[in-house]
Amino acid sequence: SLPKSAAESGAPVPSFGCIVYLSTQSGVCHGRVANLEGIEASAPDQRRLLGQIVARFKAVVAESLRDGDEPKWIDPPKEKREGESKVFLPVHL
């Protein structure tokens, strides 16, 4: 038989809050994660930008957990800058 996924086996799927600050300059969307260091991206539209950020966020968090460490959360999160909007994304690994 095939192995069950975490959801099928009833095991909880870990979820982490990703706080992203978004801005648009000269038609380019920019985003930065406020509660985990070093994740920034730019893309031609918000959908692609958030896809890039979520992929990097998942990779950083998964690597920390795999190494037996807690992710290096920024608490409290970085401050929002002028012209940025805040988006909260629950990210499942």
Side-chain angles (χ1 to χ4, degrees):
S1 74
L2 295 172
K4 291 183 177 182
S5 71
E8 292 171 325
S9 69
V13 176
S15 177
F16 299 90
C18 178
I19 301 169
V20 182
Y21 294 148
L22 302 171
S23 64
T24 303
Q25 295 157 353
S26 305
V28 178
C29 294
H30 302 279
R32 62 189 181 98
V33 175
N35 61 331
L36 195 58
E37 195 60 54
I39 302 175
E40 295 190 26
S42 296
D45 58 63
Q46 187 172 320
R47 183 170 183 249
R48 283 188 261 188
L49 171 69
L50 292 175
Q52 289 177 28
I53 285 180
V54 167
R56 290 184 194 168
F57 183 90
K58 281 184 176 185
V60 169
V61 172
E63 183 179 351
S64 294
L65 296 176
R66 195 171 43 250
D67 293 343
D69 297 328
E70 180 73 17
K72 293 178 175 46
W73 301 117
I74 300 170
D75 189 21
K78 295 176 186 173
E79 293 289 320
K80 201 167 57 151
R81 297 178 190 145
E82 182 80 27
E84 289 182 323
S85 59
K86 177 182 170 182
V87 176
F88 178 81
L89 304 170
V91 177
H92 298 274
L93 293 188

